[in-house]
Amino acid sequence: MDKLPAWADIVLVPLISLLLAAVISAIVILAIGQDPWEAVRVMVQGALGSSYGWGYTLYYTTSFIFTGLAVTVAYHASQFNIGGEGQAQIGGLGVALVCLAVPWPHWTLALPAAMVGAALFGAAWAAIPAYLQAKRGSHIVITTIMFNYIASALIVYLLVEVLRPAGQMDPATARFPAGAALPTFKDIPGLNLIFDKKVPANVTFFIAIAACFAVWILLWRTRLGYQIRAYGKSERAAIYAGISPVKVIMIAMLISGGLAGMMAINNVMGEAERLLQNSAEGAGFIGIAVALMGRNHPLGVFLAALLFGFLYQGGAEMGLWTSIPIELRLLLQGLVILFTGALDNMVRMMLVPFFRNRAKEAA
Amino acid sequence: MTGAQDSGARQATAAPTSAPPAIELRGISKAFGSVQANKDISIRVMPGTIHGIIGENGAGKSTLMSILYGFYKADAGEILIDGKPTQIPDSQAAIRAGIGMVFQHFKLVQNFTVLENIILGVEDGPLLRPSLSKARKELKRLAEEYELHVDPDETIEELSVGHQQRVEILKALYRQADILILDEPTGVLTPAEADHLFRILDNLRQQGKTIILITHKLREIMEITDTVSVMRRGEMTATVKTSETSPEQLAELMVGRKVLLHVPKGPANPGETVLEIENLRVVDEDKVERLKGVDLTIRAGEILGIAGVSGNGQSELLEVLGGYARATGTIRINGQEIDLTGKHSDAQSRRHRGIAHVPEDRHHYGLILDFAAWENMVFGYHNEPEYQKNAMIMDNDGIVEKTAAAMEHFDVRPPIPTLPAKSFSGGNQQKIVLAREIERNPDLLLVGQPTRGVDIGAIEFIHKRIVELRDAGKAVLLVSVELDEIMSLSDRIAVMFDGQIMGERLPDETNERELGLLMAGIRDTKGAA
Amino acid sequence: MDYATLIQVLDSALRLATPLLLACLAGLFSERGGIFDIGLEGKMLMAGMASGAVAFLTGLVWLGVGAAIGASILFSMIHGLASITFRGNQLISGVALNFLASGMTVLIAQALFRQGGRTPPLTGNARFSPIDLPFAEAMADVPIIGPLYAEVLSGHSTLVYVALLAVPVTWWVLYRTRFGLRLRAVGENPESVDTAGISVVRLRYSALVITGILCGLAGAYMATALQAGFGREMTAGRGYIALAALIFAKWRPWYALGATFLFGFLQALALRPDVIERSFGMAIPVPALDALPYILTVIVLAGFVGKAIPPRAGGQPYVKER
Amino acid sequence: DPALIYDLGGKFDKSFNEAAYGGAMRWVEETGGSYKELEMQSEAQREQALSRLAESGANPIVMTGFAFGDVLNSVAPEYPDTKFVIIDMVVDQPNVRSIVFTEEQGSYLVGMMAAKASKTGTVGFIGGMDIPLIRKFACGYVQGVKAANPDAVIVQNMTGTTPSAWNDPVKGSELTKAQISQGADVIYAAAGGTGIGVLQTAADEGILSIGVDSNQNHLHPGKVLTSMVKRVDNAVYESFMAGEAVEPGIAVMDLAAGGVGFAMDDNNAELVSEEMKAAVDEAAAKIIAGEISVHDYMSDNTCPVE
Ligand SMILES: Nc1ncnc2c1ncn2[C@@H]1O[C@H](COP(=O)(O)OP(=O)(O)OP(=O)(O)O)[C@@H](O)[C@H]1O
Ligand SMILES: Nc1ncnc2c1ncn2[C@@H]1O[C@H](COP(=O)(O)OP(=O)(O)OP(=O)(O)O)[C@@H](O)[C@H]1O
Ligand SMILES: [Mg+2]
Ligand SMILES: [Mg+2]
C-alpha cells in the first residue's frame, strides 16, 4: 500500500474521519426531518457559547482525558483495553470508600487520598485481565469486556446491599463529607471571574492536564515507557533486548487501569459527591474514540477529549433544545470510532491518489 | 539411498529432448513494496525430471514458486505449461494446470483430519460425505503406489512434521498434479525422514512426474536432482546439469562473491579463553533437535567464524548465546558458567556478562524500525546507568549526543539521530546495530550475517570494525553464510552442519572447496559423491 | 425447588435463552470464519428496532423479521468492509457498530413514532404468538416428562423453534457440507483455503451474511416475540452474553445450546429471587447471578476448565502481501 | 416557561411518566404555552439536567420521581429564584413544592376489585424497584384484597433493586408467567415501564391485570380490570398552571382530593360488575369519610397484613 506523509497520517486522517462522521450524521439528521445547521448551532452555543457551557464541556473533557490516556498507555504496550468503563466504576468505589471512611477536614487532604484510592481500585480491576493475558494468553479484549459487566454487577450489589444508607431509596452511597468537596471552577480564585455560576468542572481538570504531561513523560522520557513502547512495537525485538513481556503487559495495564480509575475523582468526588450506579456513563468507551482520534499521544488525547467534551455537552444541549434525540451523540461517537479505528485504511486510500499526484507534480 | 539406484532411475526416465519443457517461465518479476523479490527470471524444467533450485535466504525462491502456483501475481513475465502459454491468476488455475505445491510453511488446517485437508477445495459437491469416502479410497491407492502412508482420520496437529509433509504431497497427488513443487522439504525432517522423502520423489519421477525441489542442502541437490538452478538476490544466476557440476561450484555460485574482498588484518594474538561451550543442545517448538551437542571455545583477541549453509543450527547457537532461546549444556564466559534456563537466562543478563549481539535479522530483532536512531542506539542497554538522568528519567539528550558521535564514528549516513530506523537503508541500519553493540566494548561479540544486504563499501567498513574489536583483545563469534567473508575475517573456522560442528579449520590451511564439502556434510575431502 | 417451579423456571429459561442462542450461533459463523465480532449486540439492537417498526407499520410480523434480517446484514456488511476489505481492526469495528446501533435505533424509532425511541406496542399479526406442539395437551398428564414437553417445550413462538432447529442445522452445515469445511478452514488457516484456490474474501463475507441473518432473528425475537415492540437498549447486553456463551461453548454448535441455556437459566433464576431463597436457603444477590455468565467465561478463558482455543486466524485480517 | 423532567422509565412508559406528560399536554392545549422537557438516561445525569434547566430560566421545574430528591436538595439552594416541584418525594427547601400521593388508598380499592374478580382466590402484585414507596402500593393492595376476601392468597414480586427495574418489560413478563403458574389470575403491576410487559403477558395468557398511574385500560381492552390512577397529570397540570407562583411546601393528593382512584371506561365496563363497583364505591366513600383507614407503609415501614 502506498504510504502517506507522516503529517497526513497524524493530522489529515483523523480530520477526514471526523468530517466523514459529521457528514453522515448530518445526513441522518436530515433523514429524520431535522435541520443539521440548527443542530450545529445549538451544539456550539450550548457547549462553547457561555462560561456555563464551558463548565460542562471541560468537565466532560476531564473525564475523557483520563479514559483516553488509559487506552493510550495500554495501546503502546499493544494491549487494547476496553475495560476503562469498569475500571472507572471501580475507581469510583475506591474514591467513595476513601471519602466516606474519614471525616475529611479539607479537600487538599482528601484529594490525594482519593486519588490513591481511585488509582489502586482501577488498577486492581485491570490486574486480572492483564495477568490472564500475560500469563495465560486470554484475549484481553474479551476479558476486559467481561470485567465491565462484572464491575457494574458488583457496584449494584454494593450500593444496594452495603453502601446505601438506611432509609435512602435510590441505590447510592451517602453524600461525602463537606470536607471532601472539590472546588469547582466557581470556587477557584481567578477562574471565578469567568465562571460565576456553579459548574461541574473542578480542580480535577488540572490533575487531568498533569496526567497528560505525566503520561508523556512516562512514555517518552522514562525507561519504563521505553520498554513499553519497544514491546508494543515488536515483541520479538523486545525479547532480544531482554524486556520481559509479562512485566510490560502487567505494568502497562496497571497504569492504564489506574488512569481509568482516576476519572472517578472528577465525576464521583468532584461532581456527584456520592457514588451512583453507572457512574462512568460510557466515558470508558469514549476513551477509545479519544485515544484513536488523538493518535495515542497525550497532546492528541487532550485535544480529542476537548472535542468529545464539546460533542458530549453539545449533544446534551441538542437533546434539550431541539427535537433531535440526544442519541445522536452515540451515533457520532460510533462513526468517529469506525472511521478512525476500523476504516482508517479506507480513509488513507482515499487520500493516497491526492498525494501521488502531488508527488508526481513535484518530481 | 544408494547412488546406483539413483543413476539407474535417472537414465530410465530421462526425457526425450524433443518434448517441450513441462514448465517454462519467461521474464518473471515481482516486487513487494520496495523489495524486488524476483527480477526477470527465466527457467525451463523438462518433464520427468527433478529440478533443484538453491539460493540464499531471501533470494526469491519461494516467491518464484508461489507465482507459478498462482498464490502471488507476477508483475511481469509469462508462464508456459507443456509449451502452451498459461494464465495462472489463482491457485485454482494452477491446480487445473496440474501443478501441486508443498509450501515451505505447510498450508494445512491444524485441527482438520488428513482426509478433510485432502479434499479442501476439491470437494465433489455441496455435501462432504461422498467426497470423503472417495478420498479415502483414493488415498489408500496413492499410499500404496507411492509409499505415502498416513492415517486418514488423524488430525494434523497430532502428526509429526514428516507426516504432515506427506499429507501435503498427497494433497497435490490427489489433485492429479503432474508437476510437484517442494519448497525446502527437508528443512523440517530428520535424516531418516528425508531419505524416505527422497525415495518417494524418486518414485514419483519414475512415474513421469516433474518435480521442482528447493533446498539449501547441496548434498540433496547432488543426490537427487537432474538439473539445478541457482538464485541470488532475486536473480537466476545459473542453471546447470547436476552431473556436470560439483558441490564446490554450487557453493560458490550460491554464496561466493567473485571479488574476494581483502580485509587488512594482522595476525591474531589469542589470550585467555573467553567463551567455552560444551554439549549444547536445543530442541525447538516442533520438537526438532536444532543443536545436537555443540562444543566450541573462543579466546580473547580471536575471531571464530562459523561457516555453514543456513538452517544448520547457526541461528539457534546465536539465540542461545544471546539469551533468548532455551538450551541444555554448559556455557562459560570468562570461566563462569551462565544460567541457561533459570531466572538469569534472558538477554539482559547476557549483556551484563559482557556479551554483545548483532542479530542475523536486524528488522525483526536488532531494531525497532519505528524508533528513532537514538532510541535504537540504546536498545537492550536502556537500563545502563550511563543512559539515565536519574532513577526514573532517561537521559535522552545525552543519548542523542552519544548517538550522533557513534553515527559519526560508524559512518552512518545520514548521521541524523532523530530519524526513524526504517528510513535508513539496509547497510546503514546494520551500521547502527553494529555501532550500538561494538561501542559497548563487550568481552564477546556475537555477529550474525553482518553484511547481508549491505553494499560493498559498507561491508569493508564493517569488517574493519570487527577486526579492530579483535585487536582490542575481544572475542568475536562470527556467523555468516558468505564463505569469503568467513575466510577473510576469521582466525579460526568452524563448519556447522545439521546442528553439529563438522570440523574446525584454519583459514590459511583450507580452501573454499574443502569448506563447501564440510558445509554439505561431507567429511571426506577426497572422494566426493 | 419443587418440580412445578422447576418447570416454570425452565420454561422461562428457554425463552430467555433463545435470543442468546441465535446470537451465539451468529457469532459462531463469523468467528469460525476468522472474523471476531463483538458487534453482535449492535446487530441485535438494529434488528429489534427494524422488526418492531416494520411489523407495526405493516401489521405483519414476518415482514418485520425480514426487515430485521436486512438491517442486521447491513451492519454485518459494514463490519465486513472494515475487517475484510480494508483490513481494519475487527475489535474496534465491533465496538463502533455497537455505538452506532445504540444511537441509530433510537433516532430512527423516534423519528418514525415519536415515542421516546420505542416502537408502538404490537398486537395481533404484528407479533408472534405462542404455538402448541402436537400432543401437548395429551402429553401434559404424563408424569415427569409430560410437563417438560407440554410446559417447557411447547407453547413458545415460532422463533424459539427456529433457534432450536438452528443448532443441528449449524452443526450439519459446519461439519457435513463443503461450505462448512471451507468456513472452518478459513478461520483456522486462510492460506490453506487460498492455496486451494478458494476466495478467502468471498467465504468470509458469506459467513458474515449468515451472522447477519441469525442476529436479525435474535433481534426480531426480542421485539416481536419476547416483547411486543422495540424499546431503547432492549437487548441489554445480550450480545455480550452471547459472545461469552460462544467462548464458553468453545465455538461449537451443541455446546452453544448448552451454554446459552445455562445462561438463560441463570437469567431466569435471577428473575425469581423467591425461588432461589427457598431452594438454597439463603438469598443469593441478583447481581451475582447477573455476573455469573461473565465470571464463568473469564474462568474458561483463563483455561482453568478446559482451554477455549479460538479459531486460530480469528481477529487478524488476511494479508497475502505485506 | 415551565419544564418537566421525566425519570428513567422514559416519557412513554404508558404509566407514571406518561401521566406527567399527559398533564403537560393538557396544559399546552389549554393555554397554548410551551414547555421544556427532558428524559433521564442515567442516574448521573440528574444534577446536570436540573441545573441546566434552571440555568436556562425554566420556572417552575417539575420532576417526576423520588430519585431526584437528593440532587434537588443540593441544586435548589443554588437557584433560589426558581421554583421546583417534585412528585413522590418530600424535599424540604424553601423553593420546592413536594407532591405526594396516598397510593395506599387507591391500591386498596383496586385490591378489592382484584379479590372480587379473581376466580382462583390468588392474586398477584408486581412492583418495580424495591423501595418503600412501592411497598406502600403493595401494602394498600394487600389490605384491599384481604378486606374483600380474607382467604385470598397474594403473590408478590419486586422487579429489582435498581432504577432499571422501572423499565424491564421482559422481566415483568417473566414474573407474570411465574405468578400465573402459582395460580394468580389478577395481577396488579406497580412498576412503570416494566408493567407494559406485565399487562401484555397477562393479556396473552388470558388473565386480568391492573394498571397503574395512568389509565392503562385501553392497552388491552377487555383484559385490564382497572387501573390505579395516580393523578400525576393533575399535579403537573396544576403546577404548570400556577407557574412561577407555585406554592412551596408539601401537598398530599389523596382520594378525597381526587389524587388517586381507579379507572372506569368502556374498555373495562364489562369486567366490572355492578356489585363490584358498588362495593368499591362504598369503600371509597368510607375512606374519604375516615371510616376505613388504610395503613401507610411509609409511616412506619411495616405492613399490618401480608
Ligand atoms: N508476502 C511478502 N510480502 C513482502 N515481502 C515478501 C513477501 N514474501 C517474501 N517477501 C520478501 O521477498 C524476498 C524474497 O523472499 P522469498 O521468501 O522468496 O525468499 P526465499 O528465497 O524463499 O528465502 P528462504 O530461503 O528464506 O525461504 C525477501 O526479501 C522477502 O522478505
Ligand atoms: N521489511 C521492511 N520493513 C520496512 N522497511 C523496509 C523493510 N525492508 C526494507 N525496508 C526499507 O526499504 C528501504 C530499502 O531497503 P534495503 O535494505 O533494500 O536498502 P538498500 O537501498 O539496499 O540500502 P543499502 O545499499 O545500504 O543496502 C530502506 O529504507 C529500508 O529501511
Ligand atoms: Mg523460501
Ligand atoms: Mg540493501
Side-chain angles (χ1 to χ4, degrees):
Chain A
M1 202 179 300
D2 294 74
K3 289 229 177 68
L4 289 178
W7 72 270
D9 218 46
I10 290 169
V11 180
L12 216 49
V13 172
L15 281 183
I16 300 273
S17 301
L18 191 65
L19 201 69
L20 282 170
V23 167
I24 293 180
S25 303
I27 293 172
V28 171
I29 295 177
L30 275 177
I32 62 173
Q34 307 286 337
D35 178 2
W37 286 119
E38 174 65 9
V40 171
R41 201 191 58 74
V42 169
M43 284 179 79
V44 172
Q45 174 62 33
L48 311 174
S50 64
S51 65
Y52 183 76
W54 274 100
Y56 276 95
T57 301
L58 292 179
Y59 164 69
Y60 290 125
T61 301
T62 308
S63 289
F64 301 157
I65 288 176
F66 281 113
T67 53
L69 289 177
V71 175
T72 295
V73 171
Y75 169 88
H76 280 286
S78 75
Q79 304 298 305
F80 187 22
N81 179 11
I82 307 201
E85 188 75 9
Q87 289 145 17
Q89 286 195 43
I90 298 293
L93 181 64
V95 169
L97 293 180
V98 167
C99 287
L100 291 170
V102 180
W104 294 100
H106 195 260
W107 66 270
T108 45
L109 297 173
L111 180 60
M115 281 168 66
V116 171
L120 279 183
F121 273 62
W125 206 246
I128 303 170
Y131 180 82
L132 292 178
Q133 169 78 65
K135 281 286 194 188
R136 308 194 68 102
S138 323
H139 206 304
I140 199 150
V141 168
I142 305 290
T143 46
T144 49
I145 289 176
M146 298 297 134
F147 266 69
N148 284 338
Y149 280 94
I150 298 172
S152 59
L154 180 65
I155 295 279
V156 165
Y157 170 76
L158 290 175
L159 289 182
V160 171
E161 306 286 341
V162 184
L163 295 170
R164 172 161 59 174
Q168 182 178 304
M169 289 204 269
D170 44 346
T173 63
R175 285 225 163 234
F176 300 158
L182 295 180
T184 65
F185 280 11
K186 189 191 167 199
D187 311 320
I188 298 174
L191 279 176
N192 61 3
L193 302 177
I194 308 169
F195 295 91
D196 51 356
K197 305 217 182 63
K198 183 173 186 252
V199 289
N202 58 70
V203 283
T204 319
F205 178 67
F206 303 104
I207 299 175
I209 292 179
C212 282
F213 190 66
V215 166
W216 179 74
I217 294 272
L218 167 77
L219 287 175
W220 281 282
R221 285 291 178 275
T222 68
R223 255 187 292 166
L224 179 60
Y226 180 89
Q227 300 186 42
I228 289 176
R229 287 186 299 122
Y231 173 79
K233 293 280 186 209
S234 166
E235 175 161 9
R236 277 188 280 185
I239 294 172
Y240 156 80
I243 297 169
S244 154
V246 172
K247 218 169 96 185
V248 168
I249 293 176
M250 283 306 294
I251 293 180
M253 278 302 290
L254 287 178
I255 294 173
S256 173
L259 283 165
M262 291 263 279
M263 177 199 131
I265 300 291
N266 188 43
N267 60 339
V268 175
M269 190 179 185
E271 212 260 344
E273 297 182 358
R274 54 184 191 149
L275 181 64
L276 293 159
Q277 199 199 338
N278 186 25
S279 60
E281 281 193 278
F285 293 110
I286 295 176
I288 298 168
V290 167
L292 287 172
M293 271 299 285
R295 287 294 188 246
N296 289 296
H297 189 283
L299 181 62
V301 165
F302 175 78
L303 295 174
L306 205 56
L307 175 74
F308 272 85
F310 156 72
L311 290 178
Y312 209 75
Q313 166 60 10
E317 292 285 323
M318 190 180 62
L320 187 57
W321 309 121
T322 72
S323 18
I324 303 168
I326 195 168
E327 278 76 12
L328 185 77
R329 70 185 184 193
L330 282 173
L331 178 84
L332 199 56
Q333 203 173 306
L335 287 169
V336 169
I337 298 179
L338 186 69
F339 285 119
T340 47
L343 283 171
D344 47 338
N345 285 335
M346 183 183 84
V347 176
R348 264 183 217 116
M349 273 183 204
M350 285 163 43
L351 290 173
V352 162
F354 179 71
F355 281 96
R356 198 184 291 136
N357 287 344
R358 286 210 344 179
K360 261 187 212 142
E361 275 162 34
Chain B
M1 176 178 301
T2 67
Q5 253 178 1
D6 236 345
S7 45
R10 207 170 293 169
Q11 267 143 30
T13 57
T17 41
S18 58
I23 302 163
E24 181 170 3
L25 302 179
R26 287 188 191 154
I28 300 283
S29 291
K30 172 77 187 171
F32 293 112
S34 59
V35 182
Q36 189 72 39
N38 285 163
K39 283 176 231 171
D40 190 23
I41 292 185
S42 299
I43 183 177
R44 293 154 68 100
V45 180
M46 300 314 287
T49 63
I50 297 183
H51 188 108
I53 298 183
I54 55 171
E56 253 318 302
N57 291 112
K61 309 177 294 291
S62 301
T63 304
L64 185 67
M65 291 304 115
S66 298
I67 288 169
L68 178 55
Y69 190 63
F71 192 64
Y72 294 144
K73 277 189 196 52
D75 301 334
E78 66 176 329
I79 300 172
L80 290 83
I81 307 288
D82 294 329
K84 288 186 290 289
T86 310
Q87 292 296 322
I88 305 186
D90 57 24
S91 301
Q92 194 86 59
I95 294 168
R96 258 184 273 118
I99 303 172
M101 177 152 174
V102 177
F103 285 87
Q104 190 171 1
H105 306 284
F106 301 151
K107 312 287 185 204
L108 294 171
V109 184
Q110 286 293 316
N111 58 359
F112 275 20
T113 63
V114 170
L115 222 46
E116 286 174 320
N117 269 292
I118 297 279
I119 62 167
L120 182 66
V122 287
E123 308 87 346
D124 293 312
L127 297 187
L128 289 184
R129 200 172 289 245
S131 322
L132 285 170
S133 52
K134 180 183 145 196
R136 191 182 294 276
K137 265 186 242 132
E138 177 69 7
L139 215 54
K140 210 162 166 192
R141 190 185 67 75
L142 289 171
E144 263 143 38
E145 192 172 340
Y146 300 105
E147 279 184 75
L148 282 161
H149 295 280
V150 278
D151 178 354
D153 297 314
E154 198 99 60
T155 57
I156 298 300
E157 52 204 352
E158 287 164 5
L159 294 179
S160 70
V161 198
H163 278 75
Q164 293 186 13
Q165 190 172 63
R166 280 189 212 169
V167 177
E168 283 283 22
I169 297 172
L170 282 168
K171 241 168 88 177
L173 295 177
Y174 185 74
R175 285 157 178 71
Q176 295 172 331
D178 290 322
I179 300 162
L180 191 62
I181 307 164
L182 295 114
D183 192 353
E184 284 186 46
T186 55
V188 292
L189 300 184
T190 63
E193 282 174 327
D195 279 348
H196 184 97
L197 173 70
F198 283 171
R199 276 204 302 280
I200 292 165
L201 294 185
D202 192 30
N203 199 344
L204 285 167
R205 171 167 56 190
Q206 290 186 37
Q207 310 274 338
K209 310 262 181 207
T210 309
I211 295 168
I212 300 182
L213 175 72
I214 299 177
T215 179
H216 289 297
K217 300 179 186 167
L218 300 178
R219 186 178 64 109
E220 294 172 356
I221 292 288
M222 298 309 296
E223 256 180 38
I224 188 134
T225 63
D226 301 292
T227 43
V228 52
S229 298
V230 183
M231 282 187 76
R232 197 174 158 72
R233 295 195 169 202
E235 283 171 289
M236 192 64 86
T237 48
T239 299
V240 289
K241 278 214 163 58
T242 309
S243 51
E244 292 165 11
T245 186
S246 64
E248 305 90 272
Q249 190 196 358
L250 287 178
E252 190 183 299
L253 280 168
M254 193 167 134
V255 297
R257 208 175 273 104
K258 278 280 164 261
V259 258
L260 217 170
L261 287 163
H262 177 66
V263 183
K265 73 175 209 264
N269 297 309
E272 297 281 294
T273 300
V274 173
L275 175 73
E276 284 169 275
I277 301 176
E278 282 167 24
N279 194 24
L280 195 68
R281 289 174 189 275
V282 170
V283 178
D284 76 2
E285 288 163 4
D286 299 329
K287 308 233 156 44
V288 178
E289 200 171 27
R290 291 297 179 183
L291 289 187
K292 303 175 177 172
V294 168
D295 300 301
L296 279 177
T297 55
I298 310 178
R299 300 202 295 176
E302 175 187 52
I303 299 175
L304 174 69
I306 307 246
V309 176
S310 46
N312 279 293
Q314 305 96 307
S315 307
E316 286 77 8
L317 178 63
L318 286 180
E319 284 170 11
V320 168
L321 288 169
Y324 52 102
R326 302 253 140 160
T328 58
T330 316
I331 300 177
R332 273 186 293 272
I333 288 284
N334 296 325
Q336 275 182 311
E337 194 167 329
I338 61 178
D339 185 0
L340 283 183
T341 46
K343 205 160 163 282
H344 297 290
S345 64
D346 69 328
Q348 285 279 307
S349 313
R350 294 301 149 77
R351 291 194 176 85
H352 283 301
R353 302 296 291 271
I355 304 179
H357 184 181
V358 177
E360 292 179 292
D361 182 343
R362 58 180 170 262
H363 278 164
H364 290 131
Y365 291 92
L367 292 167
I368 302 259
L369 289 174
D370 287 329
F371 271 15
W374 68 267
E375 287 175 296
N376 274 301
M377 198 56 88
V378 294
F379 192 53
Y381 300 98
H382 47 272
N383 285 329
E384 295 295 317
E386 65 176 287
Y387 296 132
Q388 317 300 324
K389 207 177 242 162
N390 55 43
M392 293 281 295
I393 308 292
M394 286 177 89
D395 182 14
N396 287 358
D397 297 335
I399 298 170
V400 170
E401 239 167 68
K402 284 178 187 138
T403 304
M407 286 173 98
E408 202 73 42
H409 192 188
F410 273 79
D411 191 30
V412 179
R413 279 176 262 179
I416 305 171
T418 49
L419 227 49
K422 65 182 170 199
S423 46
F424 289 89
S425 75
N428 285 304
Q429 288 176 348
Q430 185 70 333
K431 287 192 209 161
I432 292 176
V433 177
L434 267 162
R436 176 179 75 212
E437 302 298 328
I438 291 180
E439 294 274 281
R440 298 291 313 170
N441 213 10
D443 291 342
L444 169 65
L445 178 70
L446 312 172
V447 213
Q449 320 296 353
T451 54
R452 173 184 286 170
V454 172
D455 67 53
I456 307 260
I459 290 175
E460 210 179 333
F461 184 88
I462 290 169
H463 285 174
K464 233 163 74 193
R465 291 295 149 149
I466 294 175
V467 171
E468 272 173 25
L469 191 73
R470 173 202 77 166
D471 291 343
K474 308 296 178 184
V476 176
L477 176 70
L478 167 74
V479 169
S480 175
V481 291
E482 312 269 351
L483 256 190
D484 45 351
E485 181 167 40
I486 294 281
M487 295 279 285
S488 52
L489 264 184
S490 311
D491 299 314
R492 215 150 37 89
I493 300 171
V495 182
M496 266 189 101
F497 173 76
D498 195 26
Q500 285 167 312
I501 303 292
M502 285 297 287
E504 279 191 24
R505 299 285 184 275
L506 293 176
D508 302 338
E509 296 168 8
T510 186
N511 54 38
E512 294 202 5
R513 187 175 123 69
E514 187 190 23
L515 290 179
L517 287 174
L518 281 171
M519 283 163 66
I522 303 161
R523 226 185 280 260
D524 183 359
T525 47
K526 281 158 207 110
Chain C
M1 192 185 318
D2 61 290
Y3 192 59
T5 314
L6 179 67
I7 289 291
Q8 219 283 313
V9 173
L10 287 178
D11 184 36
S12 162
L14 182 55
R15 271 192 299 278
L16 295 172
T18 296
L20 301 179
L21 177 58
L22 285 166
C24 184
L25 292 177
L28 190 145
F29 274 99
S30 161
E31 303 212 344
R32 278 291 187 147
I35 307 286
F36 278 168
D37 195 354
I38 51 180
L40 296 174
E41 175 85 1
K43 284 196 272 287
M44 275 168 83
L45 208 55
M46 281 301 287
M49 191 277 298
S51 66
V54 171
F56 176 79
L57 293 173
T58 63
L60 293 172
V61 67
W62 284 108
L63 285 181
V65 172
I69 290 175
S72 173
I73 289 182
L74 176 73
F75 261 49
S76 251
M77 292 300 101
I78 299 177
H79 190 51
L81 198 67
S83 47
I84 304 171
T85 306
F86 289 108
R87 297 170 192 165
N89 187 319
Q90 300 172 9
L91 300 165
I92 295 181
S93 168
V95 171
L97 289 174
N98 285 341
F99 274 109
L100 221 55
S102 288
M104 204 111 114
T105 47
V106 175
L107 282 170
I108 296 175
Q110 172 67 8
L112 286 177
F113 305 109
R114 312 222 159 268
Q115 299 214 350
R118 289 168 214 267
T119 63
L122 303 174
T123 50
N125 284 341
R127 160 163 201 263
F128 282 103
S129 40
I131 49 177
D132 284 324
L133 295 184
F135 316 116
E137 299 256 325
M139 284 278 290
D141 297 328
V142 180
I144 311 293
I145 58 159
L148 220 45
Y149 181 76
E151 310 269 328
V152 178
L153 215 52
S154 175
H156 293 283
S157 63
T158 319
L159 290 183
V160 173
Y161 304 111
V162 170
L164 289 176
L165 215 61
V167 176
V169 170
T170 301
W171 175 86
W172 182 80
V173 167
L174 215 52
Y175 296 106
R176 287 290 179 268
T177 69
R178 175 173 64 190
F179 173 75
L181 184 78
R182 292 176 175 187
L183 183 70
R184 284 183 290 137
V186 83
E188 286 292 324
N189 184 358
E191 288 194 335
S192 71
V193 170
D194 200 358
T195 51
I198 310 161
S199 161
V200 172
V201 169
R202 252 213 332 258
L203 256 178
R204 289 193 160 169
Y205 268 108
S206 325
L208 287 189
V209 169
I210 299 176
T211 301
I213 293 172
L214 287 168
C215 268
L217 290 176
Y221 173 80
M222 290 290 302
T224 61
L226 198 58
Q227 294 183 41
F230 168 81
R232 172 200 300 252
E233 296 291 336
M234 81 181 305
T235 46
R238 283 182 173 79
Y240 291 106
I241 300 192
L243 200 65
L246 182 60
I247 296 164
F248 204 66
K250 301 177 182 171
W251 293 267
R252 294 183 209 168
W254 286 107
Y255 286 33
L257 177 65
T260 51
F261 194 80
L262 172 68
F263 292 177
F265 185 74
L266 291 175
Q267 289 187 342
L269 264 189
L271 295 180
R272 300 292 303 274
D274 53 320
V275 172
I276 300 171
E277 201 161 348
R278 254 184 290 136
S279 23
F280 296 94
M282 58 166 193
I284 295 179
V286 169
L289 288 174
D290 288 341
L292 207 50
Y294 306 111
I295 296 173
L296 287 176
T297 304
V298 170
I299 293 173
V300 169
L301 271 172
F304 293 123
V305 273
K307 194 138 180 76
I309 301 164
R312 283 182 186 74
Q316 286 132 27
Y318 179 54
V319 186
K320 204 151 82 159
E321 304 182 19
R322 267 163 285 147
Chain D
D1 289 1
L4 178 58
I5 312 180
Y6 305 100
D7 205 352
L8 286 172
K11 180 161 118 185
F12 293 100
D13 62 357
K14 305 264 177 273
S15 179
F16 182 62
N17 290 299
E18 197 157 330
Y21 173 64
M25 286 318 288
R26 178 140 52 95
W27 176 80
V28 168
E29 274 158 30
E30 286 181 18
T31 64
S34 68
Y35 72 101
K36 298 187 180 94
E37 60 180 3
L38 206 62
E39 286 178 79
M40 281 299 99
Q41 240 99 119
S42 112
E43 280 297 300
Q45 288 176 328
R46 293 183 195 280
E47 185 154 351
Q48 177 175 2
L50 271 185
S51 43
R52 224 166 40 195
L53 280 174
E55 187 59 33
S56 76
N59 198 359
I61 299 172
V62 182
M63 66 215 75
T64 61
F66 70 90
F68 285 101
D70 187 81
V71 284
L72 183 57
N73 234 325
S74 71
V75 172
E78 294 278 330
Y79 299 93
D81 299 333
T82 304
K83 295 280 172 45
F84 298 89
V85 178
I86 181 164
I87 293 173
D88 270 5
M89 180 83 186
V90 175
V91 171
D92 190 15
Q93 293 285 350
N95 53 340
V96 173
R97 178 180 177 84
S98 308
I99 301 178
V100 291
F101 294 83
T102 56
E103 290 94 351
E104 71 279 9
Q105 296 176 340
S107 299
Y108 182 91
L109 298 179
V110 300
M112 285 183 68
M113 292 171 79
K116 288 185 179 297
S118 171
K119 296 190 179 67
T120 59
T122 301
V123 299
F125 174 85
I126 295 176
M129 185 174 161
D130 189 2
I131 48 169
L133 178 67
I134 293 302
R135 297 205 170 187
K136 183 176 170 184
F137 279 79
C139 185
Y141 178 69
V142 172
Q143 292 173 62
V145 172
K146 293 285 186 190
N149 175 7
D151 299 329
V153 177
I154 300 136
V155 191
Q156 297 188 46
N157 287 111
M158 294 289 178
T159 309
T161 50
T162 65
S164 63
W166 300 123
N167 194 16
D168 195 345
V170 171
K171 200 159 176 181
S173 162
E174 291 301 326
L175 287 173
T176 308
K177 289 197 164 136
Q179 295 200 345
I180 292 172
S181 74
Q182 293 167 71
D185 63 347
V186 183
I187 297 175
Y188 176 28
T194 303
I196 294 176
V198 176
L199 269 51
Q200 177 77 50
T201 306
D204 289 350
E205 302 282 324
I207 66 151
L208 293 173
S209 56
I210 299 173
V212 80
D213 295 346
S214 291
N215 179 354
Q216 298 184 316
N217 297 357
H218 69 280
L219 288 179
H220 305 280
K223 305 268 177 66
V224 180
L225 177 62
T226 182
S227 299
M228 198 294 274
V229 290
K230 178 169 158 185
R231 300 309 295 262
V232 176
D233 53 339
N234 286 351
V236 173
Y237 173 79
E238 282 158 19
S239 304
F240 275 24
M241 272 300 184
E244 298 183 17
V246 73
E247 203 178 306
I250 302 176
V252 179
M253 311 264 289
D254 60 8
L255 191 59
V260 294
F262 62 94
M264 289 300 303
D265 58 19
D266 290 349
N267 295 315
N268 68 341
E270 288 183 10
L271 299 172
V272 182
S273 65
E274 287 301 319
E275 182 265 320
M276 200 192 286
K277 174 115 173 35
V280 179
D281 282 340
E282 191 194 326
K286 284 188 178 164
I287 292 174
I288 292 172
E291 287 167 42
I292 298 178
S293 126
V294 184
H295 179 77
D296 175 3
Y297 177 89
M298 285 172 83
S299 63
D300 59 359
N301 279 345
T302 58
C303 191
V305 286
E306 269 303 315

